[in-house]
Amino acid sequence: MLTVQHAKAHPGIKFNAVEPGPTATDMTAAFGIGRSVHESAKVVVRLANLDVNGPAGTLQERGRRSGLVRAC
């Protein structure tokens, strides 16, 4: 929701939000879950380097058509 609010407040800037999934950190160590910080960082870096007309844009358009994603 914070990403949507930023996008509405600043329409000239493109905002993206990424949630890389469960990551093994000091906070999750007791549960024994998550992939390494390095592996989670790879997800974020890969998405940050996608072309605006690449897979991310295509997925966003599919989400809009299905009603799962609304344009800001």
Side-chain angles (χ1 to χ4, degrees), residues 20-44:
T23 304
T25 65
D26 291 344
M27 289 176 39
T28 62
F31 304 106
I33 61 169
R35 63 177 149 241
S36 72
V37 173
H38 179 76
E39 288 298 314
S40 289
K42 283 174 112 174
V43 172
V44 176

Side-chain angles (χ1 to χ4, degrees), residues 58-71:
T58 303
L59 181 60
Q60 187 177 36
E61 290 305 315
R62 273 190 257 156
R64 283 193 185 125
R65 285 194 299 270
S66 69
L68 298 173
V69 176
R70 290 188 303 208

